Amino acid sequence: SQKIEQNSEALNIQEGKTATLTCNYTNYSPAYLQWYRQDPGRGPVFLLLIRENEKEKRKERLKVTFDTTLKQSLFHITASQPADSATYLCALDAGGFKTIFGAGTRLFVKA
Amino acid sequence: DGGITQSPKYLFRKEGQNVTLSCEQNLNHDAMYWYRQDPGQGLRLIYYSQIVNDFQKGDIAEGYSVSREKKESFPLTVTSAQKNPTAFYLCASSRGQLGSGNTIYFGEGSWLTVV
């Protein structure tokens, strides 16, 4: 069955450093991959979408890579700030109206 | 501003009771969804609706029911048949089919607790 994995351990980094989060998937070849941010007790908010024929996508301090050979996406936040502390979810299209979500990685940025 | 409104934010259910979670969107989206989120797990799809008067079961539909009588509204009923309903419920919508690269817009969620 389709499986998506994100690092379940929280990531702690110092303000100003680059945070890198990993998303691995198996048994599937998605046409695109999305990243969402979720704050405690709130709904996820869309950040970036990258298609299978794109290797990299950027938006301000955010960068996403998509390696369909390794079946992996990396999500980078450069010059991280305490306000970036949240849970980040990786999501893959599963065809039609279905999307598979990872459990998310919690990021803590220390001032 | 356009968005998705879920209510109530917190809901308590007694054993054997049915409860209904409300979801309204003013984004003019055709597709709407209900997800369930449990600690340490990814979002799981309960039901989705592509258009008015049509809906499909997701991966964990047992013990839940929905209706889609209006484009803007997609209420979820958690029935007494759902044995472990305590969770965070998220309503969402999209412009169209997700396979076309449409993104998902989420509401703020509703916490349901069994007492």
Side-chain angles (χ1 to χ4, degrees):
Chain A
S1 62
Q2 302 154 351
K3 192 174 180 181
I4 181 170
E5 290 184 346
Q6 295 185 255
N7 194 339
S8 59
E9 294 183 12
L11 180 62
N12 292 281
I13 64 168
Q14 201 67 34
E15 182 177 12
K17 301 293 185 182
T18 295
T20 298
L21 285 67
T22 304
C23 175
N24 295 296
Y25 59 95
T26 59
N27 299 329
Y28 197 61
S29 297
Y32 64 87
L33 184 149
Q34 301 185 40
W35 284 88
Y36 289 79
R37 169 183 172 143
Q38 186 175 25
D39 291 290
R42 307 194 69 176
V45 175
F46 169 75
L47 295 175
L48 280 169
L49 178 150
I50 186 166
R51 301 184 186 277
E52 60 178 340
N53 60 351
E54 298 175 316
K55 291 197 180 298
E56 182 180 296
K57 201 83 169 279
R58 292 175 184 262
K59 179 183 177 182
E60 297 175 350
R61 294 184 296 111
L62 309 180
K63 184 179 84 170
V64 172
T65 62
F66 192 10
D67 189 324
T68 55
T69 300
L70 292 178
K71 294 187 181 294
Q72 181 181 78
S73 174
L74 298 178
F75 177 80
H76 307 271
I77 305 176
T78 59
S80 60
Q81 306 166 0
D84 295 325
S85 298
T87 296
Y88 292 86
L89 309 178
C90 169
L92 302 177
D93 88 282
F97 288 84
K98 295 190 176 183
T99 298
I100 303 173
F101 285 87
T105 298
R106 190 81 188 269
L107 173 67
F108 293 97
V109 181
K110 302 176 189 176
Chain B
D1 289 345
I4 300 175
T5 302
Q6 289 187 238
S7 64
K9 181 69 176 179
Y10 301 96
L11 187 60
F12 297 90
R13 193 193 91 167
K14 295 181 180 179
E15 294 288 344
Q17 196 177 48
N18 292 353
V19 293
T20 297
L21 306 180
S22 170
C23 178
E24 302 280 330
Q25 57 104 353
N26 60 3
L27 299 168
N28 199 33
H29 285 170
D30 287 317
M32 296 189 74
Y33 313 81
W34 275 104
Y35 290 91
R36 169 178 172 147
Q37 188 173 34
D38 295 280
Q41 295 192 41
L43 277 65
R44 293 184 290 169
L45 183 63
I46 304 173
Y47 268 99
Y48 66 98
S49 169
Q50 301 177 39
I51 56 173
V52 175
N53 293 323
D54 179 72
F55 49 83
Q56 307 293 330
K57 291 183 179 180
D59 301 316
I60 56 166
E62 185 175 351
Y64 300 97
S65 67
V66 294
S67 64
R68 186 90 186 272
E69 298 177 1
K70 297 187 301 181
K71 186 175 185 177
E72 305 80 23
S73 179
F74 192 41
L76 173 74
T77 296
V78 184
T79 74
S80 57
Q82 172 49 242
K83 298 306 178 187
N84 184 24
T86 296
F88 188 50
Y89 290 87
L90 288 160
C91 180
S93 71
S94 68
R95 189 168 287 114
Q97 196 170 33
L98 299 178
S100 300
N102 288 297
T103 58
I104 306 172
Y105 294 78
F106 287 90
E108 288 300 307
S110 293
W111 291 94
L112 174 61
T113 303
V114 175
V115 295

